[in-house]
Amino acid sequence: MKSVEERAKYDEYEMKDEYDFSDGIRGRFYQPKKIPTSMRLDNDILIFLKKQASEKKIAYQTLINNLLREYMQKDGLNAS
């Protein structure tokens, strides 16, 4: 943690009236919100997905999200 002296220099900080974001990248730090949910899957499907995820070294929930997102984009479906 920073010392009191190091933090004190920010006590008098004033924001500018305007900032230039013309070179900014929209959504650069955006991360989709994760919603806990239950989903009933057939056992053979779950085993297949977990095996695929293990081979790709990712969590199976991430694999499911990626597959669903790919499906949405392929079919032109909109999440909003």
Side-chain angles (χ1 to χ4, degrees):
M1 183 175 238
K2 295 182 179 181
S3 70
V4 174
E5 293 82 24
E6 288 176 310
R7 290 184 299 198
K9 66 182 177 182
Y10 297 107
D11 288 345
E12 300 299 319
Y13 180 79
E14 293 287 328
M15 291 189 65
K16 298 177 186 177
D17 289 335
E18 292 185 25
Y19 290 88
D20 180 17
F21 293 105
S22 60
D23 292 330
I25 300 170
R26 182 178 294 274
R28 181 175 182 184
F29 299 104
Y30 171 76
Q31 293 183 347
K33 184 177 179 184
K34 301 289 184 183
I35 308 292
T37 186
S38 295
M39 188 174 14
R40 294 183 174 271
L41 300 174
D42 293 337
N43 191 44
D44 58 335
I45 292 174
L46 184 58
I47 290 170
F48 172 80
L49 291 171
K50 285 186 174 186
K51 183 178 178 196
Q52 292 292 310
S54 175
E55 290 172 3
K56 295 180 180 190
K57 296 184 178 12
I58 60 174
Y60 76 95
Q61 296 96 331
T62 302
L63 176 65
I64 292 171
N65 270 320
N66 291 345
L67 291 170
L68 292 172
R69 188 168 287 109
E70 198 175 291
Y71 175 78
M72 281 177 17
Q73 291 170 349
K74 182 186 92 170
D75 287 350
L77 301 174
N78 195 347
S80 50

